[in-house]
Amino acid sequence: MDSPAEQLRQAADAVARLGCSSADLEALPDTVVLTGQREIAKARRLLEVYAAWMAATIADRSRPELGHSGLAAQQGFLSPEAMIQKVTGSSKNEAFKLVAV
């Protein structure tokens, strides 16, 4: 079985091969549109796994016991969730969910 990194590369390549504009996608046959939608969903799921892993890394490097030397604190944030929210442009709720996962 391929590693998550290889699966992500393959999914991203499959999505990129669909075209590079809405006009390209509109010109695709129905079967390719359906396959393409599956590939996009697969890539999104894999990206969400990576987002959760990265959020866990940020949370670990921002543990309260690290005080001002923690990653979030060094970047001027009170919590890893606040930093993730700012960096990703996500909602507070989404940032908390990422860290919780």
Side-chain angles (χ1 to χ4, degrees):
M1 183 162 171
D2 290 329
S3 71
E6 184 56 32
Q7 291 176 41
L8 180 57
R9 275 191 286 278
Q10 290 171 5
D13 285 346
V15 171
R17 283 192 299 271
L18 294 171
C20 56
S21 70
S22 61
D24 289 347
L25 274 60
E26 288 174 9
L28 296 171
D30 289 350
T31 56
V32 177
V33 167
L34 296 172
T35 301
Q37 188 62 51
R38 281 190 213 83
E39 290 296 334
I40 291 167
K42 181 178 180 180
R44 288 180 75 169
R45 282 191 303 273
L46 288 162
L47 283 170
E48 287 299 322
V49 168
Y50 273 84
W53 289 347
M54 192 60 73
T57 299
I58 290 168
D60 184 60
R61 293 182 185 187
S62 302
R63 295 184 316 273
E65 63 267 20
L66 296 174
H68 293 296
S69 66
L71 180 59
Q74 287 178 16
Q75 299 300 312
F77 295 96
L78 296 176
S79 69
E81 294 87 357
M83 187 173 105
I84 290 167
Q85 181 183 1
K86 177 70 173 178
V87 169
T88 64
S90 64
S91 70
K92 185 182 289 190
N93 192 32
E94 290 170 338
F96 273 92
K97 284 181 186 179
L98 272 176
V99 172
V101 171

